[in-house]
Amino acid sequence: MGQISSISMPTPDILGLDACTSIGSLNKQDEMALDLQKATVQAALDETVGALKRCALISKVQTGDSLTLLCSNTVQVQASGSDFAAILDDGAVVTWPAGSPGDSTDVPTQLKIVQQISVCGDGAFAAILDDGSVVTWGGDENIYRQPKNMKNVQQIQASHLAFSAILDNGSVVTWGARNYGGDCRAAQGRLENVQHIQASHRAFAAILDDGSVVTWGSAAFGADSSAVRTQLKNVQQIQASRAAFAAILDDGSVVTWGHAEFGADSSAVQTQLKNVQQIQASEHAFAAILDDGSVVTWGNDFFGADSSAVQSQLKNVQQIQASHRAFAAILGDGFVVTWGDADFGADSSTVQTQLKTSRFKLLTRLLLPYSKTDLNTLPSGSNSPDAIDTIAALLEENASKSVPLPLFNAWAALADQAVRVGIDYRTLGLGWSHPNTRRQYRLGQHASISCPESRARAEQSRSFLHDVLMEALNKEAAYGAASMQSRLEEALAVAFVHEIGAPLDLKAEICQLATL
């Protein structure tokens, strides 16, 4: 088990996932290397011109693999089995390799101010422009005959050989192979006020504004939801494996349908599926995160449904991602737990060193803005040009000197709560609409977290925690001969007391603690 701040391994072709998923924040010195289902993709960003420098080492990239790089120039990268398409920060699109099925050479002038890209399994791409129009390219043009005059498109989802688009009036337009969901005429009368669409390999499921669900496509792949239609009320979220769907209702319960061998039969775990917050899917299995941070899995054991070997580690889970036959979960302290088929990513033992380093970068990034001014507070001997890498290396160095890992985890937990999800309750008051579930709070996307008042308070906390931590790490600080572990424990106590509202004189308090 290792640790990292964010991961992504989406496969829309097999899993029916959303088009793009974040893999974390990277600065331009970072090199990203991921083992994506026996594939490695290395990409660098030219920050000055906003262009993607493509250097891909690709081996057996699975259809629909996608990733999003987040940096100063936001880029979304979508991939089919042999093609890549990237949205640059100016909305332009770059595709590669040249001459591949997804080559956009024929439509370059049309691809301007692109908002979203979706991709089918055979290299067919569909892009939504800022005016709501759609540009398609790649794939078999005899299959992907886009409807004429399609306007005001809000979202596009893709099965293996078909697209489905939601328009601004809540109606749905489909195109592509009929037996892959490209023909929705049988369900068209019910497709009104559609809010979201999810896809399996050959079927689609749409959530309407009243919380009901409409399905179409191949019955064997989840298009036939008649057996559970009366249960599909107040649906909040849908996830899909290759041939089954799982819906989370507003009371946190789960309804499944489709092919039993692909996770449609959840009867063995139904009593455990309470207060479900999120579901992820491999090709034949599902994994659900509950409100208490635990995980419930079901489906085919060979595809990650059997999580018994790691259940004791699956606590305070924040996010789960899946390959075809394995799952990876990020815990609240940043650790990563993997399970399923070792050949598909369940064995993460070979990257433990990298995952370990990420733990310290996570803490450092929470406490430092992207600035080099903090280098002045570092101990002598640090030669890294980047404060993030330097302080992360310093933390890791001290961790190897018998400083207990739980102590660093405690620092990371405090920094995460104070900075990333910090709420200024004093200013906002209790009457504000604060997060009402632990899941909402942990995600850090609630309005009371992102509002200016809370972000200002978080910046104050960041500055204070940074100063306390740097004082503890500095070998010439007022702690004198105290051990590194003692210094970090005492500094943590100072930081905690400060964060709960007790005003302290930072340096005086540290010196006082050092004499105890």
Side-chain angles (χ1 to χ4, degrees):
M1 184 172 68
Q3 193 223 10
I4 197 168
S5 59
S6 181
I7 58 174
S8 173
M9 203 176 294
T11 52
D13 164 45
I14 299 299
L15 310 181
L17 304 184
D18 288 336
C20 298
T21 302
S22 171
I23 59 169
S25 297
L26 305 175
N27 60 32
K28 64 180 180 179
Q29 282 82 26
D30 284 328
E31 177 182 49
M32 181 182 70
L34 297 176
D35 180 8
L36 269 177
Q37 301 156 227
K38 299 182 178 179
T40 300
V41 178
Q42 293 182 331
L45 294 176
D46 185 338
E47 198 168 357
T48 59
V49 298
L52 184 67
K53 293 180 176 179
R54 305 179 301 277
C55 49
L57 302 176
I58 306 170
S59 173
K60 298 182 180 179
V61 178
Q62 297 297 324
T63 299
D65 291 344
S66 69
L67 37 100
T68 299
L69 313 181
L70 298 181
C71 60
S72 59
N73 291 353
T74 301
V75 178
Q76 295 179 4
V77 181
Q78 267 285 17
S80 68
S82 59
D83 313 271
F84 288 88
I87 304 176
L88 306 184
D89 63 336
D90 61 359
V93 171
V94 177
T95 60
W96 72 96
S100 67
D103 188 344
S104 62
T105 303
D106 294 336
V107 292
T109 59
Q110 303 174 48
L111 292 171
K112 297 180 179 179
I113 318 181
V114 174
Q115 305 297 303
Q116 178 200 331
I117 293 178
S118 188
V119 59
C120 286
D122 65 344
F125 289 85
I128 303 176
L129 308 188
D130 68 334
D131 63 0
S133 62
V134 173
V135 177
T136 58
W137 72 94
D140 186 340
E141 63 180 14
N142 293 317
I143 297 177
Y144 301 102
R145 292 180 178 176
Q146 179 185 336
K148 295 181 179 179
N149 300 319
M150 189 163 54
K151 300 178 180 179
N152 303 316
V153 175
Q154 305 296 302
Q155 175 195 334
I156 294 180
Q157 184 59 272
S159 67
H160 186 60
L161 291 177
F163 290 104
S164 180
I166 302 175
L167 308 188
D168 64 347
N169 63 2
S171 63
V172 171
V173 176
T174 60
W175 68 100
R178 290 184 177 182
N179 58 346
Y180 284 80
D183 184 353
C184 68
R185 286 178 295 179
Q188 194 70 64
R190 292 178 290 144
L191 288 171
E192 299 178 351
N193 301 315
V194 174
Q195 304 297 302
H196 183 73
I197 294 177
Q198 188 56 277
S200 68
H201 192 66
R202 297 176 63 165
F204 291 95
I207 304 175
L208 308 190
D209 64 347
D210 62 1
S212 62
V213 173
V214 177
T215 54
W216 70 94
S218 174
F221 286 78
D224 181 5
S225 58
S226 57
V228 296
R229 186 165 297 156
T230 58
Q231 303 174 49
L232 291 172
K233 299 177 180 180
N234 301 314
V235 173
Q236 305 296 302
Q237 178 190 140
I238 294 179
Q239 187 54 274
S241 66
R242 182 181 176 88
F245 291 93
I248 303 176
L249 308 189
D250 64 347
D251 62 359
S253 62
V254 173
V255 176
T256 56
W257 71 95
H259 199 302
E261 294 183 5
F262 291 80
D265 182 4
S266 58
S267 57
V269 295
Q270 265 301 322
T271 58
Q272 303 174 52
L273 291 172
K274 299 178 180 179
N275 300 315
V276 174
Q277 303 296 303
Q278 175 192 329
I279 294 178
Q280 190 54 273
S282 68
E283 192 175 44
H284 288 246
F286 291 92
I289 303 176
L290 308 190
D291 186 46
D292 63 1
S294 62
V295 172
V296 176
T297 55
W298 71 94
N300 190 313
D301 288 351
F302 295 104
F303 289 76
D306 182 6
S307 58
S308 57
V310 295
Q311 264 300 324
S312 61
Q313 303 171 44
L314 292 172
K315 298 177 180 179
N316 195 22
V317 174
Q318 307 291 298
Q319 179 188 349
I320 294 178
Q321 282 294 350
S323 67
H324 289 346
R325 302 178 66 150
F327 291 94
I330 306 176
L331 309 189
D333 59 7
F335 278 93
V336 171
V337 179
T338 54
W339 70 95
D341 190 323
D343 291 335
F344 286 79
D347 182 2
S348 55
S349 59
T350 59
V351 293
Q352 289 307 301
T353 301
Q354 296 96 308
L355 294 175
K356 178 182 177 182
T357 301
S358 296
R359 175 191 314 123
F360 305 107
K361 284 195 175 183
L362 170 64
L363 173 57
T364 309
R365 281 176 173 144
L366 282 169
L367 296 185
L368 286 181
Y370 285 91
S371 164
K372 297 180 182 179
T373 58
D374 303 280
L375 289 172
N376 296 329
T377 67
L378 293 175
S380 59
S382 297
N383 55 13
S384 170
D386 183 89
I388 300 292
D389 290 336
T390 302
I391 299 175
L394 183 61
L395 290 170
E396 185 174 12
E397 176 187 356
N398 285 294
S400 66
K401 297 177 180 178
S402 71
V403 175
L405 181 58
L407 181 53
F408 286 105
N409 289 340
W411 265 103
L414 178 60
D416 185 68
Q417 182 169 332
V419 179
R420 187 180 68 85
V421 297
I423 298 176
D424 187 356
Y425 289 103
R426 177 175 296 175
T427 301
L428 298 178
L430 297 180
W432 184 275
S433 178
H434 296 301
N436 53 30
T437 68
R438 280 175 285 185
R439 181 72 183 163
Q440 284 183 337
Y441 181 73
R442 291 197 302 261
L443 287 175
Q445 299 171 353
H446 195 275
S448 62
I449 295 174
S450 60
C451 70
E453 293 85 355
S454 292
R455 290 303 85 208
R457 168 59 198 272
E459 196 56 42
Q460 293 174 8
S461 294
R462 182 203 300 273
S463 177
F464 186 89
L465 293 176
H466 161 255
D467 289 347
V468 175
L469 182 61
M470 289 300 96
E471 192 81 16
L473 290 174
N474 197 318
K475 295 176 183 178
E476 298 177 359
Y479 288 107
S483 69
M484 178 60 68
Q485 178 178 341
S486 296
R487 296 202 299 267
L488 290 174
E489 288 175 345
E490 292 162 356
L492 180 62
V494 170
F496 177 77
V497 171
H498 175 271
E499 283 306 307
I500 64 175
L504 297 172
D505 181 332
L506 175 60
K507 292 186 177 180
E509 182 65 21
I510 289 178
C511 292
Q512 181 181 356
L513 285 171
T515 63
L516 297 179

